Amino acid sequence: MRIVLLGAPGCGKGTQAKLMAGKYRVPQISSGELLRQAVSEKTELGKRVESIMASGELVSDDIATDAVTERLRSNESKRGFVLDGFPRTIPQAQQLDTRLGWMNRPLQLALYFSLDPAVVVKRTLGRLECAKCGASYNRYFSPPAKRGICEHCGSKELVQRLDDRQHAVRARLDAYERDTAPLITYFRAQHKLRTVEGEGDIQDIFGRICEIVDTEIRPLETKVIAIETGREYRSDALTLISGGKVERRGFAGDSQKAAGKNVAKKKVVRKKAAGKEVAKKKVVRKKAAQKKVAKKKVVKKKIVVRKSASKKRTRKG
Ligand code: AMP
């Protein structure tokens, strides 16, 4: 499964990416997480991007692309990936297409989370994260049971990301409208865009996503596995994506099997016929030999009779 999640900051991509990664056993590759990690480890890259990130602006396309490429190439991404927060600009999407093309593993779907802008603002401004275990909450929509205390690890360090503060949120939303929203058209033109309603209960949204993935990506993967294992589908085996409904019509493997059975049947028939013919010939040959022997016996008998008759005649004479 090779999928990208698209949507405004706070639309729930990160939460859903984690759930998807768990269910489909593929890595979640989050450009924001990778960059934040670089910042917290104080690497060269981290130092370069720290202030840009805090301001809510986007880091350069090259930096973002390089940050995710290594993960995309890694062994753990062989079964697929969920890309979260990347690409965020058209040049990033083009780079992604090119690199995945080199790996012969093109993107399958772009899932766009649609959400009311007012909700987007509340989701980002209200977001809190546990500094210890990473659990996330929202002041407005999903606060912890005890105010300020993490339900998972009991830590009191529920913090707001620097770029979730008001001025940064404004800049991030502007960057989204300016640079990221055009990707909706980009992926629609590739027939890869699917929209998921981003509002509602987390598990309900996840259910809607799984429906899309299970009907549109997994049959394709089954097809790829089938091709790899030599059990190739006929081109009309599946009605894909178009109606959102998948219909299994038949395998080329099925007809190959039928053809195989036919060949075996014909072989048996031919063998039986050949066997009968041989047996027939044997019988004919046996009968002919018997006739010959009988004839010879008759001839011999006649000769003996003739000889004894002539002997009698000579004795008389
Ligand atoms: P996120 O966690 O996805 O909201 O990303 C946090 C910040 O990291 C963004 O506001 C950007 O500054 C930076 N960032 C993450 N991904 C990208 C990207 N694909 N392109 C440019 N900047 C990014």
Side-chain angles (χ1 to χ4, degrees):
M1 162 165 112
R2 298 178 298 277
I3 195 165
V4 305
L5 306 187
L6 269 184
C11 69
K13 302 187 296 292
T15 308
Q16 295 298 334
K18 278 193 183 73
L19 294 173
M20 291 168 77
K23 173 166 178 177
Y24 297 107
R25 291 182 292 119
V26 291
Q28 169 200 9
I29 304 178
S30 155
S31 47
E33 283 295 334
L34 290 169
L35 294 170
R36 270 189 292 280
Q37 197 179 331
V39 171
S40 69
E41 287 169 1
K42 300 194 188 324
T43 64
E44 271 312 304
L45 171 67
K47 285 178 202 158
R48 276 170 68 194
V49 297
E50 187 170 11
S51 60
I52 305 172
M53 288 176 72
S55 72
E57 293 297 334
L58 296 183
V59 306
S60 78
D61 288 334
D62 285 345
I63 288 180
T65 306
D66 288 346
V68 297
T69 300
E70 204 182 310
R71 291 289 305 281
L72 287 173
R73 280 215 201 99
S74 70
N75 261 349
E76 60 161 0
S77 299
K78 282 229 163 89
R79 290 192 66 243
F81 49 79
V82 181
L83 262 175
D84 155 28
F86 184 93
R88 254 180 159 101
T89 66
I90 297 273
Q92 288 180 21
Q94 289 167 331
Q95 273 297 321
L96 178 67
D97 279 343
T98 308
R99 293 179 191 208
L100 291 178
W102 289 339
M103 297 177 218
N104 209 11
R105 283 187 278 159
L107 204 63
Q108 293 168 308
L109 277 191
L111 260 189
Y112 165 57
F113 289 65
S114 88
L115 198 59
D116 179 342
V119 180
V120 166
V121 173
K122 272 187 155 182
R123 285 237 188 127
T124 36
L125 287 178
R127 188 154 56 186
L128 290 171
E129 227 172 61
C130 173
K132 238 181 163 181
C133 73
S136 47
Y137 302 91
N138 189 290
R139 250 188 227 124
Y140 307 108
F141 304 112
S142 52
K146 279 190 191 162
R147 204 169 161 205
I149 297 176
C150 177
E151 289 171 19
H152 296 272
C153 68
S155 151
K156 287 182 181 163
E157 284 181 80
L158 297 187
V159 293
Q160 189 180 39
R161 268 167 46 175
L162 280 181
D163 58 355
D164 277 342
R165 293 182 185 164
Q166 204 146 11
H167 70 281
V169 166
R170 186 70 268 149
R172 288 167 70 201
L173 291 176
D174 288 347
Y176 171 76
E177 284 304 328
R178 185 186 60 233
D179 299 311
T180 311
L183 287 176
I184 296 169
T185 314
Y186 179 91
F187 287 117
R188 186 176 287 130
Q190 293 188 351
H191 306 288
K192 290 180 179 171
L193 190 83
R194 297 292 174 276
T195 302
V196 63
E197 177 55 60
E199 207 158 338
D201 177 74
I202 289 175
Q203 287 305 328
D204 290 345
I205 299 169
F206 184 51
R208 294 199 279 272
I209 292 173
C210 293
E211 221 170 276
I212 296 175
V213 170
D214 291 343
T215 53
E216 305 207 3
I217 294 191
R218 301 190 92 199
L220 272 174
E221 291 190 336
T222 317
K223 181 180 174 183
V224 171
I225 292 164
I227 290 169
E228 282 170 358
T229 55
R231 198 161 186 261
E232 194 175 344
Y233 287 83
R234 275 204 307 263
S235 58
D236 65 345
L238 296 170
T239 309
L240 290 168
I241 296 171
S242 48
K245 217 177 156 194
V246 175
E247 191 186 310
R248 184 183 181 282
R249 289 201 206 132
F251 291 97
D254 293 344
S255 57
Q256 269 168 17
K257 258 193 190 168
K261 273 186 188 166
N262 263 358
V263 168
K265 226 180 191 173
K266 278 184 186 165
K267 269 188 188 167
V268 170
V269 170
R270 270 205 299 272
K271 214 173 165 183
K272 273 189 183 168
K276 270 187 188 168
E277 203 140 289
V278 169
K280 223 179 186 176
K281 276 184 183 166
K282 270 187 188 169
V283 170
V284 169
R285 269 204 300 272
K286 210 174 169 183
K287 274 188 181 168
Q290 277 170 352
K291 263 187 190 173
K292 227 178 186 177
V293 170
K295 220 176 180 179
K296 271 185 185 170
K297 274 185 185 169
V298 171
V299 171
K300 263 187 193 164
K301 216 176 175 180
K302 275 185 182 170
I303 291 170
V304 171
V305 171
R306 253 187 253 138
K307 272 184 181 174
S308 61
S310 72
K311 263 183 189 175
K312 273 181 190 171
R313 256 183 265 126
T314 42
R315 254 186 256 141
K316 275 182 186 173

